[in-house]
Amino acid sequence: MGGTWTDSEILAEIAKRTWYHKIQLRPGIATPGLKILEPLWDSTRKSRAHINYAGKRVLDIASFDGMWAFEAEKLGASLVVATDCMQPLYSNFELCKDILESKVLPLYNISPYNLWEGLKVLLMDDFSAPLPFPQQIRHNLFDIVQHTGLLYHVRDPLWTLSQARSVIKTGGHLLLETACILDDNESRMIFNGPPGNMNRIYHDITTYWVPSIRCLREMLASTLFEVLPQSITTVNSGTKNNYPIGRVTMVARAISGRETAADSYAELLRIYRNPGLVPDYL
């Protein structure tokens, strides 16, 4: 339908729905989104400015209404794939995709725990370059993975980082945004509490873990990412139970096992911890 939408039709459709993201659909027309999150989104955009999107293959994890996926496309990405496992939100995404006449590919049946298996066919299906296996897969990996607003909601946050690394090229970039303890001195991860009392940090039954900034750095290092220090931005949300809490965004470069240790053991750990990766010498 795309360009056949009238402004009044768009406004009427927007009004029927509940929105998380603020998505610019036309000059002067945007989905309402959660106004309280706008400072956070601006902070994330400042971090994102350290990544060049032109001509890049982008994966947007936990896309929700799709704001970050559509913005990646506007920044010049050659391919944007939006994943989520919240199918009820797909109708919002589909509406925006249609109005924007977007080419973002939605895969709203893929868990952040299962990116390699879920995206394997896509990663192997572009034969624009006549490369043998496994170089063909390496050619098709993503240049950029956007991992925003997700880490604190998952029960196994380290595994989601490992899965993100498994589908990104060495030298590519991860855009990570999450709730955090605004402390870069001590490495710690706070559990939000058991079911029925999940409010140690956030009064939110979907929040499991809140790491410190130093803990995030170490988690990224353990999954073969190197943080770009100049990319780190934060938003302070105050203090809860004596913890300075807020949100942090950072960009990390995907590195090889050989950049951290030049031995076969490091390469073995690289393969074991990051499914889908192949040693650099193949």
Side-chain angles (χ1 to χ4, degrees):
M1 190 173 177
T4 64
W5 284 91
T6 65
D7 288 356
S8 59
E9 287 172 335
I10 294 173
L11 291 170
E13 281 297 323
I14 288 175
K16 294 176 184 177
R17 304 160 187 257
T18 299
W19 296 90
Y20 180 82
H21 284 141
K22 182 176 182 178
I23 302 170
Q24 200 71 37
L25 299 176
R26 282 188 183 170
I29 300 179
T31 61
L34 297 180
K35 191 172 182 61
I36 193 173
L37 293 180
E38 290 185 19
L40 168 62
W41 296 335
D42 289 340
S43 179
T44 296
R45 291 183 183 107
K46 289 179 182 178
S47 290
R48 187 184 62 185
H50 293 273
I51 306 175
N52 177 16
Y53 279 72
K56 301 298 176 61
R57 295 166 63 90
V58 178
L59 173 65
D60 187 48
I61 305 173
S63 203
F64 247 54
D65 299 329
M67 181 180 74
W68 297 117
F70 296 128
E71 290 191 12
E73 184 178 47
K74 289 179 181 179
L75 288 169
S78 61
L79 169 71
V80 181
V81 178
T83 65
D84 212 314
C85 53
M86 291 286 288
Q87 292 90 343
L89 295 171
Y90 177 68
S91 62
N92 282 7
F93 179 98
E94 187 177 39
L95 174 67
C96 294
K97 175 179 166 65
D98 189 33
I99 294 170
L100 293 168
E101 298 183 296
S102 168
K103 295 181 180 179
V104 172
L105 173 63
L107 297 174
Y108 273 54
N109 61 344
I110 295 179
S111 164
Y113 292 134
N114 200 33
L115 295 176
W116 170 250
E117 287 297 325
L119 296 168
K120 187 184 293 184
V121 172
L122 175 65
L123 296 174
M124 296 175 64
D125 200 32
D126 175 7
F127 297 100
S128 58
L131 298 174
F133 182 88
Q135 285 86 346
Q136 182 67 44
I137 295 177
R138 188 182 297 151
H139 171 71
N140 294 324
L141 293 173
F142 292 99
D143 301 290
I144 301 165
V145 173
Q146 300 183 146
H147 191 304
T148 60
L150 171 65
L151 194 80
Y152 59 103
H153 289 305
V154 294
R155 300 178 78 166
D156 191 344
L158 190 62
W159 183 244
T160 68
L161 295 178
S162 181
Q163 283 286 306
R165 181 63 184 88
S166 75
V167 296
I168 191 171
K169 297 175 183 176
T170 296
H173 291 91
L174 177 78
L175 178 66
L176 176 67
E177 186 280 313
T178 185
C180 73
I181 304 295
L182 296 175
D183 181 0
D184 205 13
N185 298 313
E186 185 177 349
S187 181
R188 55 185 170 179
M189 178 90 81
I190 308 301
F191 184 55
N192 199 40
N197 191 31
M198 298 180 75
N199 61 4
R200 185 169 289 131
I201 302 297
Y202 280 144
H203 188 63
D204 175 14
I205 61 172
T206 71
T207 295
Y208 285 91
W209 299 101
V210 185
S212 67
I213 293 177
R214 182 174 175 181
C215 180
L216 279 175
R217 289 173 175 268
E218 293 177 353
M219 291 170 69
L220 288 165
S222 72
T223 47
L224 295 175
F225 286 105
E226 179 181 66
V227 175
L228 307 183
Q230 68 275 22
S231 73
I232 299 175
T233 62
T234 60
V235 175
N236 194 324
S237 302
T239 302
K240 178 70 179 291
N241 291 331
N242 296 318
Y243 297 117
I245 63 171
R247 303 290 284 257
V248 64
T249 308
M250 58 184 69
V251 174
R253 184 176 68 90
I255 62 175
S256 72
R258 290 186 172 183
E259 289 185 59
T260 55
D263 58 41
S264 58
Y265 180 66
E267 280 292 285
L268 177 63
L269 285 179
R270 176 178 186 239
I271 304 307
Y272 177 74
R273 290 177 173 172
N274 297 278
L277 289 182
V278 295
D280 290 331
Y281 50 75
L282 290 182

